[in-house]
Amino acid sequence: MNEKALIDDEHFEHTLRSEHTEIISPENIVYEKPGTLLDVDMHYCPGCGHGVVHRLLAEVIDEMEIQSEVIGVAPVGCSVLAYNYLNIDMSEAAHGRASAAATGIKRVLPEKYVFSYQGDGDLAAIGTGETIHTCNRGENILIIFINNGIYGMTGGQMAPTTLEGMKSTTSPFGRNVSTMGAPLKITELVAQLPGTQYVTRQSVHKPGNVRKAKKAIQKGFELQKQGGGTCFVEIVSNCPSNWKMTPIESNHWLEDNMLPFYPLGDIKTPNGRK
Amino acid sequence: MKELKLMKGNEALAEAAIRAGCDAYFGYPITPQSEVLEYLSREAEQRTGMVVLQAESEIASINMVYGAAGTGKKIMTSSSSPGISLMQEGISYIACAELPCLLVNVNRGGPGLGTIQPGQGDYFQTVKGGGHGDYRLIVLAPATVQEMADFVKEGFELAFKYRNPVMILTDGALGQMMEKVELFPQQERKFEELAWATTGKSANRQKNAITSLHLKAEQMEEVNIALQKKYKEIEKNEIRYESINCEDADIIITAYGLVARICTKSAQLAREKGIKVGVLRPISLFPFPYDVINKYANKVQGILDVEMNAGQMVEDVRLAVNGKVPVEFYGRMGGVVPDPEEILKVLEEKFVGAAV
Ligand SMILES: Cc1ncc(C[n+]2csc(CCOP(=O)(O)OP(=O)(O)O)c2C)c(N)n1
Ligand code: SF4
Ligand SMILES: [Mg+2]
């Protein structure tokens, strides 16, 4: 909220007048921690998108009242400890294999909601085979794909999604597509497969985008109940630490550099291609 | 009423999985064990509702097993040597997360792509770890098609008793050969909520997490100590072996699986010649029957270990014997199966005339 908004509108007046009203009474609460998000310290760096997406997941699970019916799979990557933050049953899979583990769970507990949560190295490099085949079989799971264009956990190496020219510790002079390959748009790729029913790309770098990302995650769970194939929600995210930027700089950089290459919006919906 | 059938080892194993009430099988084709996946694809779902899924690779299969086994259901996979190599990271995760499941290796000759003929070159991989870190599988080595079936049931029981992966280590010959097998009756597929399993966090319990990650060294050491304690318990309770005419033997042959059967014939031929030979067949390769072999070492003049590899189990036999008597080794490699006469000849060369 900017300063101007604080001083010039009635809101300010109201705040002055109601100095002694009880603002934490339940009817006044406009924002609180979702029950599915545990009250523990997260290890994420300040401003990192992972934390925001965890919160969205928790909100959706709470609002859909499906906490007892959800089983999640955490990846190897910065979100490896997701099971410590979400108050649901979870399994921590080997690097790249989260969608295979999720397949195993969903096949034996088909009535449950199953999701995997994976980074770009996990899902689009070491786990490419599992990603493609899980989507191709149309497993009725939700895949949440956090694309920050980098290997966050291991300290900023090049990911399959690292942009052309982007510097990382293993592309110190910028990604050279002639020797390192071009950034992989795996989301567009899985949208080609008949097994996917809903494929979308969202971001959490601005409040409006956060709201849209939440809707996408919710849709991913809702569609899962009806069967019909894999739901795949990419979230273009940031990694301030390894991009070597402040959180705000990283969000601007994301908008200026990531989004032109990874455009936001639905790529495939159950009613046909968008 | 006895239900007798003439079946291939791989098919008996698959049939036993259905009858044991297995909930899901994830696998990838590889000779000489593809019949397991094929048989289950034909039979399992319509008979018991068991899930059978052909994965895109052995890496995917073992990680599907990881996910599914975390729900506390009866889950299995099978493969042959190269495929089992691919699974090792997943097996290590499963061992650390203490997930019960049944794995089967229909061992073929290696290394590399090797041959589709039978081998025992995966003893070290199976018994000593295979994947990274300090962990153990419970390893059962069948010698007959009957045991191929029986060990499925027993394997699941052990897996759940100890929350530990169990591996049936067999070979391409046992997988492919047909024998008479008495099938145990169909068990009901029933689902029991286990306290640790990830089945959806109900309101009346804490959330469950299946993980092998313990970032603090002290915590990871605690996990290791607990695992080792469990393995000690398994070593105390679960040793299985067969001893064939060892009581009056002057020489004992140690061998596992199919080779033990061949050696039983060699021992019989030896006895016809007046040489008292017995066969000691370890059935559980982990836990290994060290004490049993050690006791026999007090009574015999020597031990001949025979394997279809360059000498792997022989290291455990030597540990067991601890220098008390000579331990000789004879092995064929790369998929070659030794015959009873050649083993007898080796036995005579090594022991008769010299000591006996
Ligand atoms: C088999 C294996 N190879 C490599 C690693 C090391 N490793 C851990 S996380 C990671 C990359 C994670 O990057 P990403 O999936 O993009 O997740 P992020 O941390 O960026 O969220 C790698 C290579 C590992 N743990 N296991
Ligand atoms: S390293 Fe990057 S991805 Fe990982 S927590 Fe920090 S900012 Fe987030
Ligand atoms: Mg990443």
Side-chain angles (χ1 to χ4, degrees):
Chain A
M1 199 185 286
N2 66 36
E3 282 173 59
K4 195 160 169 288
L6 261 181
I7 37 176
D8 74 1
D9 66 4
E10 296 158 336
H11 190 147
F12 184 54
E13 295 271 308
H14 172 79
T15 316
L16 276 182
R17 265 185 275 115
S18 55
E19 228 172 5
H20 302 293
T21 52
E22 182 55 83
I23 58 159
I24 37 179
S25 59
E27 64 272 21
N28 291 330
I29 290 174
V30 289
Y31 195 73
E32 62 184 332
K33 187 185 71 59
T36 294
L37 202 61
L38 287 162
D39 199 4
V40 292
D41 290 343
M42 288 189 182
H43 68 281
Y44 297 118
C45 307
C48 173
H50 275 303
V52 181
V53 181
H54 282 25
R55 188 193 157 95
L56 295 184
L57 251 167
E59 284 181 7
V60 169
I61 291 169
D62 279 5
E63 285 162 24
M64 290 178 71
E65 298 179 1
I66 55 172
Q67 188 189 24
S68 64
E69 296 165 67
V70 177
I71 300 152
V73 183
V76 174
C78 274
S79 46
V80 67
L81 288 169
Y83 57 84
N84 281 346
Y85 309 140
L86 295 169
N87 194 17
I88 53 173
D89 279 359
M90 285 190 80
S91 183
E92 196 293 303
H95 193 24
R97 321 301 171 203
S99 70
T103 297
I105 297 169
K106 184 73 181 184
R107 290 286 179 133
V108 295
L109 295 174
E111 72 286 3
K112 305 281 168 165
Y113 293 91
V114 177
F115 72 90
S116 72
Y117 183 107
Q118 304 177 251
D120 42 357
D122 194 85
L123 178 141
I126 193 167
T128 311
E130 284 77 7
T131 304
I132 301 278
H133 285 281
T134 300
C135 292
N136 195 51
R137 285 190 305 267
E139 298 293 341
N140 283 308
I141 62 167
L142 166 63
I143 297 177
I144 297 174
F145 166 40
I146 308 295
N147 175 9
N148 55 11
I150 200 115
Y151 283 15
M153 190 194 209
T154 39
Q157 295 83 10
M158 182 177 68
T161 45
T162 299
L163 297 175
E164 181 172 3
M166 186 173 163
K167 285 184 180 155
S168 72
T169 59
T170 51
S171 58
F173 311 110
R175 183 179 190 147
N176 177 349
V177 300
S178 69
T179 56
M180 300 165 179
L184 180 60
K185 291 186 180 177
I186 197 150
T187 306
E188 277 79 354
L189 216 147
V190 300
Q192 303 293 314
L193 305 171
T196 51
Q197 59 168 326
Y198 175 50
V199 180
T200 187
R201 183 183 286 120
Q202 304 293 333
S203 78
V204 290
H205 73 298
K206 282 180 174 175
N209 295 95
V210 171
R211 280 194 288 276
K212 283 188 196 152
K214 179 178 171 183
K215 283 209 182 92
I217 292 171
Q218 179 164 350
K219 191 166 172 180
F221 277 119
E222 281 166 0
L223 288 169
Q224 183 176 154
K225 197 65 185 174
Q226 301 153 26
T230 311
C231 294
F232 191 99
V233 178
E234 172 179 344
I235 314 269
V236 181
S237 189
N238 59 352
C239 177
S241 295
N242 289 301
W243 290 2
K244 308 208 186 319
M245 295 174 196
T246 65
I248 293 180
E249 281 167 3
S250 74
N251 282 338
H252 286 305
W253 193 88
L254 181 152
E255 178 148 319
D256 296 343
N257 298 277
M258 296 282 278
L259 297 189
F261 189 79
Y262 298 113
L264 302 182
D266 289 347
I267 299 168
K268 186 182 190 178
T269 62
N271 312 322
R273 229 154 255 280
K274 255 226 142 163
Chain B
M1 199 188 72
K2 278 189 181 179
E3 195 179 343
L4 278 176
K5 274 196 171 162
L6 187 65
M7 289 184 103
K8 263 190 178 190
N10 286 334
E11 296 188 339
L13 182 130
E15 175 63 30
I18 300 173
R19 289 178 182 237
C22 178
D23 293 297
Y25 170 95
F26 303 96
Y28 187 82
I30 183 171
T31 311
Q33 67 77 56
S34 297
E35 294 84 1
V36 180
L37 174 58
E38 289 169 346
Y39 188 93
L40 290 173
S41 303
R42 279 199 306 273
E43 297 274 332
E45 205 200 330
Q46 70 229 41
R47 278 173 50 192
T48 64
M50 173 181 169
V51 171
V52 181
L53 181 60
Q54 177 170 340
E56 63 271 28
S57 70
E58 291 86 350
I59 298 180
S61 341
I62 195 69
N63 287 286
M64 289 172 184
V65 169
Y66 177 85
T71 68
K73 297 208 175 200
K74 280 186 176 171
I75 312 298
M76 73 180 282
T77 184
S78 66
S79 187
S80 178
S81 311
I84 298 289
S85 292
L86 266 184
M87 291 185 187
Q88 292 301 329
E89 184 200 30
I91 294 175
S92 171
Y93 272 63
I94 287 171
C96 187
E98 297 192 84
L99 300 181
C101 61
L102 182 66
L103 319 169
V104 181
N105 181 0
V106 186
N107 198 163
R108 60 191 236 182
L113 188 54
T115 163
I116 59 173
Q117 304 303 323
Q120 294 186 324
D122 300 352
Y123 180 92
F124 282 155
Q125 185 196 53
T126 317
V127 175
K128 305 295 175 184
H132 56 287
D134 283 319
Y135 73 87
R136 297 289 184 166
L137 306 173
I138 298 172
V139 184
L140 300 176
T144 58
V145 171
Q146 183 66 54
E147 285 183 344
M148 291 282 276
D150 293 346
F151 288 1
V152 170
K153 190 156 157 253
E154 194 168 341
F156 272 125
E157 281 160 12
L158 286 168
F160 279 87
K161 181 171 175 193
Y162 293 99
R163 273 191 68 182
N164 205 70
V166 171
M167 186 174 281
I168 294 179
L169 180 61
T170 179
D171 66 61
L174 274 166
Q176 295 298 323
M177 73 193 205
M178 288 185 99
E179 276 189 313
K180 199 170 59 181
V181 51
E182 184 186 336
L183 295 166
F184 57 85
Q186 177 68 50
Q187 298 185 338
E188 202 192 327
R189 255 188 72 218
K190 50 174 186 274
F191 180 42
E192 199 189 322
E193 269 299 326
L194 297 169
W196 50 266
T198 48
T199 52
K201 182 207 146 342
S202 53
N204 56 8
R205 69 157 166 86
Q206 300 281 302
K207 73 178 169 72
N208 284 330
I210 303 291
T211 185
S212 62
L213 177 72
H214 308 278
L215 284 164
K216 291 208 178 82
E218 292 75 15
Q219 269 173 18
M220 194 67 232
E221 190 179 41
E222 284 299 314
V223 170
N224 270 279
I225 290 167
L227 285 177
Q228 293 303 322
K229 208 173 134 210
K230 178 171 80 172
Y231 302 149
K232 283 275 164 317
E233 201 50 29
I234 293 170
E235 283 178 319
K236 210 172 77 199
N237 302 335
E238 307 300 344
I239 288 172
R240 288 153 168 73
Y241 63 92
E242 185 187 12
S243 134
I244 306 152
N245 298 327
C246 288
E247 293 319 314
D248 68 337
D250 292 323
I251 300 159
I252 280 181
I253 304 179
T254 50
Y256 75 93
L258 178 75
V259 181
R261 281 175 74 177
I262 300 168
C263 292
T264 307
K265 180 72 187 171
S266 310
Q268 187 195 326
L269 295 174
R271 279 185 185 261
E272 282 164 17
K273 287 185 159 186
I275 317 164
K276 286 188 197 157
V277 177
V279 174
L280 192 285
R281 170 170 81 97
I283 294 174
S284 56
L285 301 182
F286 179 84
F288 191 78
Y290 290 108
D291 288 348
V292 179
I293 294 175
N294 183 280
K295 287 205 186 92
Y296 279 123
N298 296 329
K299 304 208 284 190
V300 298
Q301 290 156 20
I303 290 179
L304 175 67
D305 179 81
V306 184
E307 299 174 60
M308 290 194 289
N309 58 38
Q312 299 193 13
M313 185 176 80
V314 67
E315 294 193 359
D316 284 320
V317 174
R318 289 201 171 112
L319 270 178
V321 170
N322 204 9
K324 285 181 185 169
V325 289
V327 176
E328 300 286 353
F329 172 74
Y330 181 65
R332 297 298 301 265
M333 291 171 287
V336 179
V337 182
D339 64 51
E341 289 76 17
E342 91 185 80
I343 295 167
L344 176 62
K345 196 160 152 260
V346 172
L347 188 135
E348 286 179 310
E349 274 166 21
K350 305 254 190 204
F351 293 105
V352 187
V356 182

